[in-house]
Amino acid sequence: MALSGSLGKKYKLDKSEKFDEYMKALGVGLVTRKMGNAVSPVAELNKDGDEYTLTSTSTFKNVVLKFKPGVEFDQETPDGRKVKSVITVEGNTLHEVQKDPNGGKETVIDRTFTDDEIKMVMTVDDITATRVYKLQA
Ligand code: ACD
């Protein structure tokens, strides 16, 4: 299935592995990590012309990423880091490289869309976290 088949659908977090370690490596404090570990966000991808919008909503934070493939954009992460990201579209995968101009770490986030899920693989240093979102009925 092409990425376009996933547009406008809602996916809810179903499984999360090593997310706490991932956040720790990025310097996220205990209280924010607890919130991050506790919530099950809902994600949705939309596209208008050549611009994508990826929204993640949760009871803790809402995140909206608006981007054009390959074009750097500014983003504030849920823990308040101001980073610069580039997202490229590689088949059904959104490949994000996130750099922190304020001396923080670089991280890579791949989101692969299939019929019934989004698999997120997030890497920083030698830590890889995996989060699986399932299509909502
Ligand atoms: C997701 C996870 C997105 C995580 C983004 C950045 C990770 C670094 C730090 C996270 C800080 C706090 C975590 C709080 C909430 C996580 C979910 C917020 C999304 C609405 O997209 O699965």
Side-chain angles (χ1 to χ4, degrees):
M1 189 194 66
L3 184 61
S4 58
S6 301
L7 300 177
K9 295 183 178 167
K10 289 188 165 55
Y11 298 83
K12 190 177 175 70
L13 185 71
D14 182 60
K15 253 186 249 158
S16 182
E17 277 168 19
K18 296 224 178 116
F19 188 50
D20 194 50
E21 288 92 328
Y22 173 83
M23 289 189 287
K24 234 187 237 179
L26 284 170
V28 181
L30 179 66
V31 174
T32 306
R33 292 207 315 274
K34 278 199 170 165
M35 297 304 289
N37 285 321
V39 292
S40 295
V42 172
E44 180 175 344
L45 181 68
N46 282 288
K47 189 175 184 227
D48 182 11
D50 57 355
E51 185 175 69
Y52 288 87
T53 305
L54 179 64
T55 56
S56 302
T57 49
S58 75
T59 47
F60 174 49
K61 286 273 159 93
N62 296 327
V63 174
V64 180
L65 302 185
K66 263 188 190 298
F67 63 93
K68 290 182 180 169
V71 180
E72 187 177 81
F73 63 100
D74 294 320
Q75 183 194 152
E76 184 166 342
T77 63
D79 54 304
R81 283 167 297 128
K82 295 202 166 67
V83 297
K84 292 194 179 289
S85 291
V86 178
I87 300 181
T88 48
V89 180
E90 297 171 7
N92 288 349
T93 300
L94 301 183
H95 176 71
E96 176 177 359
V97 179
Q98 205 182 80
K99 295 184 191 217
D100 186 341
N102 304 305
K105 289 179 184 171
E106 176 173 324
T107 175
V108 174
I109 303 174
D110 282 320
R111 299 174 179 88
T112 301
F113 290 75
T114 54
D115 273 354
D116 60 349
E117 65 182 40
I118 307 170
K119 185 171 182 191
M120 254 182 117
V121 178
M122 319 166 76
T123 308
V124 62
D125 298 337
D126 59 348
I127 293 166
T128 299
T130 307
R131 283 160 74 80
V132 178
Y133 282 72
K134 287 278 181 203
L135 183 65
Q136 285 198 288

